[in-house]
Amino acid sequence: MQNDIRQDRIIGSKRFSNYFWMFFLFIGGVSFLLAGLSSYLQINLIPFTNATQLIFIPQGIIMLFYGTISISLSIYILLTVIWDIGSGYNEYNKIENLVKIVRKGFPGKNREILLTYSLNNIKSIGIKISEGLNPKRSIYLCLKDERKIPLTPVQQPNTISNLEEEAADLAKFLELKLENL
């Protein structure tokens, strides 16, 4: 029975890169905001520089704008980390003859995202590898109606050998063919 059910965990927003960018954007945003306020109030709010020498129009306003945008982005990333957007699991169940893809979305009535597919409707497991400036390496569930459902999370690209090994292992478990997309 244990050999008939496989569950792969998917890491969502709780990744080091999100913590890094949240911190970086918050510190940068606060610095820009304080520089803009210093130029408006003519009081130095930043201890390591003299921002009172900035002319409020246009430099101070631009600093306030950039600071506000940066802090807003850091709050958005913080919320996605707290809500753990994108986390979930892929369950391959030979007993029920189903593949379940479960993910967490944004809070609301549709927070839980559940996709269910019958194993009879699955044609193959596909691998898509594209190199370049923005490399993408993903495993797909290829359905008989030509839809391709991504199974791998959004993250730093996995090594090609690891991706191929994961895809081959999954194809072997589901007794499906493996194809290059």
Side-chain angles (χ1 to χ4, degrees):
M1 181 154 159
Q2 286 287 48
N3 295 336
D4 291 336
I5 299 174
R6 174 179 165 170
Q7 198 174 72
D8 297 338
R9 289 262 163 229
I10 303 296
I11 297 172
S13 296
K14 292 186 177 183
R15 290 177 293 172
F16 173 76
S17 62
N18 284 342
Y19 288 105
F20 170 79
W21 284 112
M22 177 182 53
F23 177 76
F24 182 77
L25 286 169
F26 183 76
I27 296 301
V30 168
S31 299
F32 271 79
L33 198 65
L34 289 176
L37 285 174
S38 293
S39 73
Y40 177 73
L41 300 172
Q42 292 299 306
I43 301 169
N44 194 19
L45 300 173
I46 302 176
F48 51 85
T49 187
N50 187 6
T52 58
Q53 295 176 347
L54 293 174
I55 302 168
F56 181 67
I57 297 177
Q59 293 168 328
I61 290 177
I62 296 297
M63 297 287 245
L64 285 172
F65 175 73
Y66 285 158
T68 304
I69 295 298
S70 184
I71 290 172
S72 299
L73 281 172
S74 72
I75 291 170
Y76 172 77
I77 294 172
L78 173 67
L79 291 174
T80 62
V81 167
I82 289 170
W83 295 325
D84 202 14
I85 304 298
S87 68
Y89 62 91
N90 300 333
E91 181 179 283
Y92 312 97
N93 191 328
K94 289 183 180 178
I95 297 168
E96 296 177 6
N97 201 30
L98 290 175
V99 173
K100 294 179 187 173
I101 300 171
V102 179
R103 299 288 187 275
K104 285 184 183 174
F106 286 96
K109 91 176 178 181
N110 296 326
R111 174 141 169 78
E112 283 288 319
I113 300 166
L114 171 64
L115 304 174
T116 307
Y117 301 99
S118 170
L119 285 175
N120 299 331
N121 291 335
I122 300 171
K123 179 176 68 172
S124 64
I125 300 297
I127 299 177
K128 186 173 186 178
I129 299 171
S130 63
E131 298 297 331
L133 234 44
N134 188 15
K136 292 181 183 169
R137 300 173 187 156
S138 301
I139 299 173
Y140 290 88
L141 197 63
C142 300
L143 304 179
K144 289 181 179 173
D145 63 0
E146 301 302 319
R147 288 184 290 167
K148 293 170 181 48
I149 313 300
L151 297 175
T152 50
V154 176
Q155 63 184 10
Q156 290 295 326
N158 204 349
T159 63
I160 294 174
S161 60
N162 283 349
L163 185 78
E164 289 173 343
E165 188 177 315
E166 285 177 36
D169 187 42
L170 180 59
K172 184 178 178 183
F173 176 78
L174 295 175
E175 299 168 2
L176 295 169
K177 67 178 182 172
L178 186 60
E179 66 180 36
N180 190 11
L181 303 176

